[in-house]
């Protein structure tokens, strides 16, 4: 393919201009395994240029009123929405997800991110108190921090990039963003819309490249006072080390090993299809996906029978197939990693009920080099297994029985992560009781992935530091000061 078709060549976007790079990285189409794009292999020089552009743009952008910044965000949202189909097709080709999912979730949510923060920036209030006995009035003021360093992952490329850019620039900051080098295309496409939306040069800068070259230069730069990162725990540890000498503000959204707890009074008609979706949506490559399913013993066999049958109906196909529920995983390396967990579980004596090594995957000849695998269900596995402890980040879930409420809460909390959980029960008292005891930043009951963007998003324990959402993002991307006036 590379020899017969012109490769898509991306460029950095710095100071309102597209700039070439001296070297490039190959980017692969996950559905074919072939190179189709080249991404700038940027480094310190490009980051320094972006810092200069962001520094120059900051005073003018910060001095604009929230209403003026809101209008710009609304215009950008409109332009993204007008390009929805083109962006969805590009996101699918770059990431491996189905076009249908990109069309229904990724791009609409990217649009919503700008509209949401364009609105929320207009509705924040400040505090004010009086001390009449000393004749003083106190009030708080929030101001933008400066240059925000934003590092986003490959699983929901434009969705999570805009989730960071929108609140940062709404609050008056300028930004330098580094998308994953594996999925850079929709960020590059968005840059083409910024000038038309009225975003001044230097307010949004996108520097493409790897973590060791771009990410480390950005995180360690003394003029970038805050870093928002979504990704893996090892990378977050490195970010923390590099930023510590500069006392930077950090927001780190990391992984999860998310439990679903299914009590005997659960409505299986709703629970089973929703839990299939929560386990395998986006090839299981969502930090909120379910990877441990605890089922109360009385309904365990019935749930397992229905769940395996429903999983086998979850079609794996080429991303352009409208009937496909799941596309390709992000890379050959990641596919091999996910498969290694299944082999490890099999070696430990676990049973693979469907999926990898059990069922046959049929693909067109042109896609047999792609990074596809079937959704896989594992049972008869111990809580101590690495498959039950570590984030696999693929279409693999483990199903195990439990007896009592107290037991399952302890087991659900027994991992180092604490991002999300789901609870299925028709007992309202139990729902509230269990949700309170689970060590998870988000708990869904009798549903999954219904998000209210006003409320905090983030995890406990090794799932991260900080929260994102209307108020939380505003607080992160601003500095607060107290003003006292004696009268």
């Amino acid at each position: 393919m590379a020899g017969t078709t012109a490769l898509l060549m991306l460029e950095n976007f710095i100071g309102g201009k597209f700039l070439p790079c001296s070297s490039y990285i190959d980017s692969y189409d996950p559905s074919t395994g072939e190179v189709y794009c080249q991404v700038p292999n940027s480094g310190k020089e490009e980051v320094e240029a972006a810092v200069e552009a962001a520094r120059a743009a900051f005073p003018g952008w910060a001095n604009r009123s929230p209403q003026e910044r809101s209008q710009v965000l609304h215009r950008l949202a409109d332009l993204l929405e007008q390009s929805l189909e083109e962006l969805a097709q590009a996101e699918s080709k770059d990431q491996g997800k189905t076009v249908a999912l990109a069309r229904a979730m990724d791009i609409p949510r990217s649009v919503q991110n700008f509209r949401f923060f364009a609105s929320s920036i207009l509705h924040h209030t400040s505090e004010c108190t009086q001390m009449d006995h000393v004749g003083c009035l106190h009030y708080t003021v929030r101001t933008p921090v400066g240059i925000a360093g934003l590092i986003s992952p490959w699983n929901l490329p434009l969705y999570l990039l805009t989730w960071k850019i929108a609140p940062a620039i709404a609050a008056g900051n300028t930004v330098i963003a580094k998308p994953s080098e594996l999925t850079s295309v929709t960020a590059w496409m968005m840059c083409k819309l910024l000038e038309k939306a009225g975003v001044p040069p230097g307010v949004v800068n996108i520097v493409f490249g790897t973590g060791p070259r771009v990410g480390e230069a950005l995180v360690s730069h003394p003029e970038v006072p805050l870093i928002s990162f979504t990704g893996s725990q090892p990378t977050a540890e490195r970010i923390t080390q590099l930023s510590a000498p500069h006392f930077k503000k950090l927001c780190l959204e990391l992984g999860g090993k998310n439990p679903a707890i299914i009590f005997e009074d659960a409505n299986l008609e709703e629970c089973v299809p929703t839990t299939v979706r929560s386990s395998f949506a986006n090839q299981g490559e969502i930090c909120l996906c379910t990877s441990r399913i605890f089922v109360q013993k009385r309904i365990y066999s019935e749930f397992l029978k229905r769940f395996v049958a429903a999983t086998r109906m979850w079609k794996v196909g080429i991303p352009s197939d409208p009937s496909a529920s799941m596309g390709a995983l992000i890379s050959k390396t990641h596919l091999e990693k996910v498969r290694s967990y299944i082999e490890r579980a099999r070696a430990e004596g676990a049973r693979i009920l469907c999926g990898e090594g059990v069922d046959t995957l049929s693909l067109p000849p042109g896609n047999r080099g792609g990074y596809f695998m079937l959704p896989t269900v594992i049972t008869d596995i111990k809580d101590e297994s690495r498959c039950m402890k570590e984030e696999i980040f693929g279409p693999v879930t483990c199903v195990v029985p439990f007896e009592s409420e107290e037991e399952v809460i302890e087991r659900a909390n027994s991992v180092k992560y604490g991002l999300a959980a789901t609870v299925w029960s028709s007992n309202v008292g139990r729902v509230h009781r269990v949700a309170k005891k689970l060590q998870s930043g988000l708990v869904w009951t009798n549903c999954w992935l219904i998000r209210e963007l006003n409320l905090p998003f983030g995890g406990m324990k090794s799932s991260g530091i900080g929260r994102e959402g209307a108020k939380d993002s505003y607080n992160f991307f601003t500095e607060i000061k107290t003003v006292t006036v004696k009268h």
Side-chain angles (χ1 to χ4, degrees):
M1 177 181 173
T4 58
T5 306
L7 298 179
L8 180 62
M9 299 285 292
L10 307 190
E11 292 180 311
N12 291 314
F13 187 76
I14 298 172
K17 297 178 180 178
F18 286 101
L19 301 174
C21 191
S22 59
S23 64
Y24 288 82
I25 307 165
D26 288 338
S27 183
Y28 293 80
D29 178 344
S31 72
T32 64
E34 296 179 335
V35 176
Y36 88 103
C37 174
Q38 290 204 308
V39 177
N41 187 22
S42 308
K44 286 185 179 181
E45 182 180 341
E46 288 80 8
V47 170
E48 190 61 50
V51 168
E52 290 178 12
R55 184 201 308 126
F58 175 69
W61 183 247
N63 286 331
R64 290 201 188 189
S65 69
Q67 290 77 10
E68 290 174 307
R69 296 196 297 264
S70 174
Q71 290 170 1
V72 173
L73 266 67
H74 274 300
R75 287 197 292 269
L76 183 52
D78 291 343
L79 292 170
L80 287 171
E81 190 169 51
Q82 291 166 19
S83 303
L84 190 150
E85 183 60 27
E86 183 183 2
L87 288 164
Q89 294 283 345
E91 199 76 292
S92 170
K93 187 176 183 67
D94 207 28
Q95 200 274 338
K97 69 180 75 222
T98 65
V99 175
L101 184 66
R103 187 186 290 133
M105 182 181 75
D106 290 67
I107 310 308
R109 174 58 192 276
S110 303
V111 172
Q112 185 187 8
N113 286 339
F114 282 110
R115 287 193 176 140
F116 176 80
F117 286 105
S119 174
S120 70
I121 194 63
L122 303 178
H123 302 291
H124 295 292
T125 58
S126 61
E127 299 169 288
C128 179
T129 63
Q130 289 180 244
M131 295 177 67
D132 290 337
H133 64 289
V134 292
C136 284
L137 177 75
H138 309 270
Y139 64 92
T140 58
V141 175
R142 283 197 170 270
T143 55
V145 180
I147 303 172
L150 313 177
I151 303 174
S152 56
W154 49 257
N155 60 324
L156 302 168
L158 192 62
Y159 177 139
L160 290 178
L161 178 65
T162 56
W163 178 238
K164 297 180 184 299
I165 290 176
I169 65 173
N173 301 283
T174 55
V175 306
I176 302 169
K178 190 203 90 68
S180 169
E181 69 275 16
L182 300 177
T183 52
S184 297
V185 171
T186 50
W188 173 73
M189 292 171 68
M190 182 189 69
C191 292
K192 297 180 179 182
L193 306 175
L194 294 176
E195 182 179 0
K196 189 174 181 181
V199 179
V203 170
V204 175
N205 305 277
I206 309 288
V207 181
F208 299 104
T210 65
R213 285 174 57 83
V214 176
E216 296 209 0
L218 182 59
V219 168
S220 60
H221 200 290
E223 292 187 66
V224 180
L226 75 174
I227 300 292
S228 177
F229 167 76
T230 298
S232 70
Q233 182 184 342
T235 303
E237 292 175 7
R238 181 63 175 157
I239 289 171
T240 304
Q241 292 167 358
L242 291 171
S243 63
H246 305 286
F247 301 98
K248 300 190 180 203
K249 292 179 76 173
L250 297 180
C251 183
L252 308 174
E253 198 279 286
L254 312 179
K257 192 65 182 173
N258 309 311
I261 300 173
I262 301 167
F263 287 98
E264 59 187 10
D265 59 349
N267 179 347
L268 294 186
E269 293 297 319
E270 294 181 3
C271 171
V272 169
T274 302
T275 307
V276 169
R277 186 168 67 90
S278 74
S279 300
F280 306 124
N282 201 52
Q283 304 78 243
E285 295 170 330
I286 302 177
C287 59
L288 302 168
C289 275
T290 301
S291 56
R292 297 180 295 150
I293 304 173
F294 297 92
V295 186
Q296 202 153 24
K297 201 165 188 179
R298 192 172 71 81
I299 63 165
Y300 178 73
S301 296
E302 178 63 20
F303 173 86
L304 204 55
K305 180 178 72 174
R306 294 194 194 188
F307 186 73
V308 170
T311 298
R312 282 196 162 115
M313 297 295 291
W314 193 259
K315 181 181 175 180
V316 178
I318 60 173
S320 60
D321 181 354
S323 67
S325 303
M326 204 172 91
L329 277 70
I330 184 65
S331 69
K332 182 178 181 181
T333 301
H334 188 60
L335 175 63
E336 290 171 350
K337 173 198 163 188
V338 174
R339 283 175 170 166
S340 74
Y341 277 97
I342 299 170
E343 289 306 311
R344 185 176 294 115
R346 185 179 281 115
E348 292 170 347
R351 283 197 301 149
I352 316 300
L353 299 186
C354 64
E356 182 72 14
V358 176
D359 301 309
T360 302
L361 175 60
S362 179
L363 293 167
N367 297 93
R368 289 173 188 166
Y371 316 130
F372 296 88
M373 69 171 284
L374 291 164
T376 301
V377 178
I378 302 174
T379 191
D380 293 345
I381 190 165
K382 296 179 180 179
D383 288 3
E384 296 73 29
S385 169
R386 289 177 64 182
C387 291
M388 289 285 282
K389 292 287 188 183
E390 299 176 7
E391 185 179 43
I392 300 174
F393 216 63
V396 180
T397 195
C398 301
V399 187
V400 293
F402 74 90
E403 294 274 6
S404 69
E405 181 179 313
E406 294 75 17
E407 170 208 339
V408 77
I409 291 170
E410 182 179 354
R411 293 170 68 188
N413 289 339
S414 68
V415 298
K416 68 178 182 178
Y417 297 105
L419 182 55
T422 56
V423 179
W424 290 88
S425 175
S426 58
N427 184 322
V428 176
R430 173 189 281 153
V431 161
H432 288 293
R433 191 168 60 243
V434 174
K436 185 176 181 180
K437 293 180 180 179
L438 288 172
Q439 295 170 356
S440 297
L442 303 98
V443 180
W444 284 287
T445 65
N446 301 321
C447 63
W448 179 69
L449 207 58
I450 297 175
R451 291 273 288 111
E452 161 57 276
L453 302 188
N454 281 293
L455 299 184
F457 176 89
M460 301 178 180
K461 303 191 288 187
S462 293
S463 286
I465 298 172
R467 295 292 187 271
E468 297 171 297
K471 184 177 180 181
D472 294 274
S473 293
Y474 180 64
N475 289 348
F476 177 72
F477 286 113
T478 57
E479 291 284 14
I480 191 168
K481 66 178 69 176
T482 299
V483 180
T484 299
V485 180
K486 180 148 177 82
H487 54 83

